[in-house]
């Protein structure tokens, strides 16, 4: 099976409702009919239902930037899988580095989110990645493999195929600094080997692994051409419709 590229935009905590809807409309106009790659955007929670309206009928799916692992009840401030599906999400990002390092989410919490998404029919995008200090200490492979093992604990072979992994070196997120295609490919290949050990070779070949961290039109083609890079999780450049379109175009070529 040929892995279809998956390019997702993470709008983070940046857009107001009107801006979100306007951005979604602009993306629909530019890439809304593309079928050669899978596409999604992840607006802030409060903008999800407005964006869903703007995306309706297009090929652009919608994801949430986070999710909680309980069903319903006394969890002030949290948002459940059922709520996300109700407004039209198909994906939820779990364990973005900003949640790990700014909010303090642990691998255990992230794993509960991944399992909850799977159980409830949302596709998780599980993010992993090392800090600059960890890269400098030559700990990248250890850190990333630990995050993958713990993040996927309890995920069956039948379900892992529906999980998207996103390798996002923390030092490359929002910094303008991108991992070189070789640096990214090296970690992606390690992740695929690890999936082979945890599951089997065939499954490992079919799980999609996105790269994230300052992906932009100038570097997208080279990154996406790497054998183990199956798409991109795009922050800053996903807020500019022409840039997002150019990244998608790079994925098609
Ligand atoms: P960036 O963000 O493209 O702005 O570096 C990527 C991400 O955080 O997912």
């Amino acid at each position: 099976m040929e892995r279809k590229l998956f390019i997702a935009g993470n709008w983070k905590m940046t857009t107001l409702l009107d801006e979100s809807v306007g951005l979604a409309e602009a993306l629909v106009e530019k890439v809304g009919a593309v079928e050669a790659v899978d596409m999604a955007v992840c607006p802030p929670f409060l903008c999800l239902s407005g964006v869903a309206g703007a995306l309706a009928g297009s090929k652009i799916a919608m994801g949430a930037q986070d999710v909680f692992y309980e069903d319903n009840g006394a969890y002030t401030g949290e948002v459940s899988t059922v709520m996300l599906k109700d407004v039209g999400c198909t994906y939820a990002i779990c364990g973005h580095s900003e949640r790990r390092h700014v909010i303090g989410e642990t691998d255990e919490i992230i794993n509960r989110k991944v399992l909850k998404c799977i159980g409830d029919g949302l596709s998780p995008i599980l993010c992993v990645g090392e800090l600059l200090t960890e890269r400098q200490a030559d700990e990248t492979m250890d850190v990333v493999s630990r995050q993958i093992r713990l993040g996927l604990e309890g995920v069956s072979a039948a379900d892992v195929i529906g999980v998207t992994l996103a390798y996002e070196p923390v030092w490359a997120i929002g910094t303008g600094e991108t991992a070189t295609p070789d640096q990214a490919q090296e970690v992606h290949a390690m992740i695929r080997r690890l999936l082979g050990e945890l599951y089997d070779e065939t499954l490992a070949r079919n799980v999609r692994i996105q790269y994230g961290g300052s992906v932009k039109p100038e570097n997208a083609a080279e990154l996406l051409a790497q054998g183990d890079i199956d798409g991109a999780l795009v922050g800053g450049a996903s807020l500019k419709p022409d840039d997002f379109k150019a990244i998608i175009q790079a994925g098609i070529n």
Side-chain angles (χ1 to χ4, degrees), residues 208-221:
R208 292 197 287 197
I209 312 172
Q210 295 176 320
Y211 170 79
S214 299
V215 175
K216 42 195 174 222
E218 299 77 45
N219 58 26

Side-chain angles (χ1 to χ4, degrees), residues 135 167 169 171-172 177-188 211 213 219 222-223 226 229:
R135 176 159 283 264
Y167 168 58
W171 48 272
E177 188 104 17
T178 323
T180 64
D182 285 350
Q183 280 175 322
Q185 167 58 27
E186 188 187 15
V187 180
H188 282 237
Y211 170 79
N219 58 26
E222 215 187 339
L223 286 161
Q226 303 301 309
I229 298 186

Side-chain angles (χ1 to χ4, degrees), residues 85-125:
K85 283 173 55 179
D86 185 47
V87 294
C89 288
T90 31
Y91 297 95
I93 299 176
C94 299
H96 188 278
S97 72
E98 285 144 22
R99 298 216 55 92
R100 290 177 187 268
H101 300 294
V102 182
I103 314 292
E105 280 187 17
T106 61
D107 286 302
E108 193 215 329
I109 289 174
I110 295 160
N111 175 243
R112 291 178 73 176
K113 294 182 174 189
V114 168
L115 291 171
K116 185 70 183 151
C117 284
I118 292 170
D120 291 349
L122 264 185
S123 303
I125 301 175

